[in-house]
Amino acid sequence: MQKKTDQWSSKLGFILSSAGAAIGLGAIWKFPYMTGMNGGGAFFLLFIGFTIIIGLPLLIAEFIIGRGAQKEAVSAYKALAPKSSWPIVGQLGVFGAFVLMSFYSVVGGWVLIYSAMSIPGLIIKDSANYEQLFATITGNPGITILGHALFMIINIVVISFGIKNGIEKASKLLMPLLFVFFIILVIRSVTFDGAMEGLAFFLQPDFSKVTGESVLYALGQSFFSLAVGISVMVTYSSYLKKDVSLPMSAGSVSIMNIFVSLLAGLAIFPIVFSFGLEPAEGPGLLFMVLPEAFAQMPFGELFLSLFLLLFLFAVLTSSFSMLEIITSAFTVKKDRSRTKIAWIAGIIVFIAGIPAALSSSSLANFKLFGLTVFDASDFLVSNIILPVGCLLIAIFIGFRMDKTLVKQEFSNGHSLSNGTYQLWFQLIRWLVPITIIIVFLGSLGII
């Protein structure tokens, strides 16, 4: 395969950037409220199980496809399965990234607005009713669209600089800082009165609360939080050198993702129960809980500002991957300017995301299948596109891609045994697709 001219400068840069793609809204924003709405500890265990036996094998599979082809998502399938219909998997990934980015950037805009407000202390000083503050911000069309626009502009600028000078540099700086401040928040949150009740809710599984829908959501969360199913990791791994171990890299990303999800639960649920809040608050949980915690801390305004800024950076590293897969799909030809394509793609995503941005205000009463545009977009990506994409990727690796190339890419850069390869290959060929099909059909009420 033709070597790409743009590559990660180091294994660490690739892992941190891939972790950044995975660790964002999925782990820090969506995981806590999904856990709260689906019974707590039982959901967390399901999420860990799905991440290990389904998400990790799929992440390795996407890495193998990308580096094996040395091409972005759509071209990778064309190179590995020429004159076939398999490139539709990459096209589905680009479409999924487009839809995901359209509402993801809305939440990114909320984080951006909160970050800006926290710097002069407006959140803690001027509002004791954090639920009302969140409703006011998300219910204001002008504010939400402005946040959405600014968030997209930041993404466009970084993507314009490319892999090494844009995405990698940002990830190397911001991801370690996020871990440090997350741990500080956890240490503070578990010292609140009533914190143990929140820890019990999060860490003690109650399987009586598990439903078919919650199993589907746990599976979808494992896809969403690892950024698999939309071929983002196919594109990222296409920039990777051949001497890096794909299984080891995927394992590092998965462990970091589970760890951040654990930190998110440990940070948020003790606070939720300490202040008598409802764990099933929904998407606004993080924005109403964090100010409560920091308001009780010495130098709370400073810590809230720093954490929101770092959270913003984590959200950005995730969104970079989505805009990158869209941009790279249209910059295959060298005569196309990356900067120009990034701006065009970003503007189109911004326009497409306006209905989601207005879902809590002007379009609050507009429903698609009983859901707001924001929630419908989330459901489409998390519960349909991601599972279908993951299923097709598993089938492609298991039955279509050249087995010699698959094993070669799996084996490069490490000394794992042949048994390890065979275990992974059987998982990706049989268990992963069967599990996805069963859970998917169960969610539709077919079985």
Side-chain angles (χ1 to χ4, degrees):
M1 298 297 175
Q2 184 179 358
K3 184 178 179 180
K4 295 177 75 75
T5 56
D6 200 357
Q7 290 188 322
W8 305 108
S9 66
S10 66
K11 175 183 175 181
L12 178 63
F14 168 67
I15 290 176
L16 288 178
S17 298
S18 297
I23 298 168
L25 292 185
I28 301 174
W29 168 70
K30 191 174 182 182
F31 173 76
Y33 85 75
M34 290 300 295
T35 303
M37 294 173 68
N38 290 279
F43 181 87
F44 183 40
L45 279 184
L46 286 171
F47 164 71
I48 292 175
F50 280 134
T51 298
I52 294 172
I53 66 171
I54 306 295
L56 176 57
L58 279 166
L59 184 57
I60 296 172
E62 288 206 20
F63 282 172
I64 286 174
I65 293 169
R67 194 174 68 178
Q70 292 279 280
K71 297 179 183 295
E72 44 69 43
V74 177
S75 299
Y77 293 98
K78 290 181 180 178
L80 297 173
K83 298 180 181 179
S84 73
S85 299
W86 281 106
I88 197 172
V89 181
Q91 293 163 359
L92 178 67
V94 174
F95 174 71
F98 177 84
V99 177
L100 178 55
M101 186 68 175
S102 71
F103 74 86
Y104 195 103
S105 65
V106 173
V107 185
W110 298 346
V111 180
L112 188 61
I113 292 164
Y114 264 72
S115 300
M117 290 179 63
S118 71
I119 294 174
L122 293 178
I123 295 178
I124 290 179
K125 284 185 176 180
D126 293 352
S127 178
N129 188 337
Y130 303 109
E131 185 175 353
Q132 181 58 47
L133 175 63
F134 179 73
T136 299
I137 290 174
T138 58
N140 186 308
I143 291 177
T144 53
I145 290 178
L146 176 62
H148 174 43
L150 292 175
F151 186 81
M152 285 304 310
I153 289 172
I154 295 172
N155 273 272
I156 293 168
V157 170
V158 171
I159 295 302
S160 297
F161 279 102
I163 297 300
K164 195 178 299 183
N165 295 320
I167 297 173
E168 184 173 353
K169 280 188 176 180
S171 299
K172 278 185 174 179
L173 172 66
L174 304 174
M175 290 306 296
L177 291 175
L178 178 70
F179 277 95
V180 171
F181 277 87
F182 226 143
I183 291 171
I184 292 173
L185 177 60
V186 169
I187 292 172
R188 180 64 186 96
S189 68
V190 298
T191 60
F192 285 119
D193 292 335
M196 293 303 105
E197 187 180 355
L199 291 176
F201 173 81
F202 178 53
L203 298 177
Q204 292 181 2
D206 180 0
F207 289 101
S208 66
K209 296 181 179 178
V210 174
T211 64
E213 187 176 56
S214 64
V215 172
L216 173 69
Y217 283 135
L219 180 63
Q221 179 64 25
S222 70
F223 298 155
F224 189 97
S225 61
L226 278 180
V228 293
I230 53 174
S231 296
V232 161
M233 295 305 187
V234 171
T235 297
Y236 265 29
S237 60
S238 71
Y239 306 117
L240 187 62
K241 297 175 182 178
K242 291 288 186 178
D243 60 350
V244 175
S245 168
L246 298 183
M248 295 296 189
S249 299
S252 298
V253 172
S254 300
I255 290 170
M256 291 171 69
N257 182 63
I258 291 174
F259 183 59
V260 168
S261 297
L262 174 65
L263 291 178
L266 293 177
I268 289 174
F269 290 113
I271 301 170
V272 169
F273 282 85
S274 296
F275 290 92
L277 299 173
E278 173 55 52
E281 286 280 359
L285 179 64
L286 193 66
F287 298 95
M288 293 179 279
V289 168
L290 275 181
E292 290 274 13
F294 285 107
Q296 306 300 316
M297 295 183 188
F299 306 107
E301 295 168 17
L302 173 63
F303 278 105
L304 178 61
S305 297
L306 289 174
F307 182 79
L308 283 171
L309 284 172
L310 290 169
F311 180 32
L312 173 63
F313 297 149
V315 174
L316 282 167
T317 56
S318 232
S319 61
F320 293 157
S321 65
M322 298 172 217
L323 189 57
E324 172 62 23
I325 186 178
I326 299 169
T327 301
S328 63
F330 292 96
T331 53
V332 177
K333 294 183 179 179
K334 292 183 179 180
D335 57 344
R336 290 179 176 173
S337 164
R338 165 177 277 269
T339 300
K340 182 178 179 180
I341 295 297
W343 275 100
I344 293 173
I347 290 171
I348 293 174
V349 171
F350 165 73
I351 294 171
I354 290 176
L358 299 177
S359 289
S360 297
S361 55
S362 307
L363 296 179
N365 295 322
F366 178 76
K367 306 289 184 181
L368 294 170
F369 304 102
L371 300 171
T372 64
V373 174
F374 182 98
D375 291 335
S377 300
D378 186 5
F379 184 88
L380 174 62
V381 173
S382 299
N383 298 82
I384 297 177
I385 293 178
L386 291 185
V388 170
C390 287
L391 176 61
L392 293 174
I393 288 167
I395 294 173
F396 180 78
I397 282 282
F399 296 94
R400 179 60 179 84
M401 187 171 169
D402 179 76
K403 300 304 177 292
T404 301
L405 181 59
V406 170
K407 187 172 184 178
Q408 178 183 324
E409 290 297 334
F410 184 94
S411 303
N412 281 346
H414 63 76
S415 57
L416 293 178
S417 66
N418 182 63
T420 303
Y421 167 76
Q422 291 298 334
L423 174 61
W424 166 79
F425 188 73
Q426 295 308 316
L427 282 174
I428 202 70
R429 192 175 200 183
W430 301 111
L431 182 62
V432 170
I434 290 172
T435 302
I436 294 172
I437 290 171
I438 291 174
V439 175
F440 186 69
L441 292 180
S443 71
L444 300 178
I446 297 176
I447 58 173

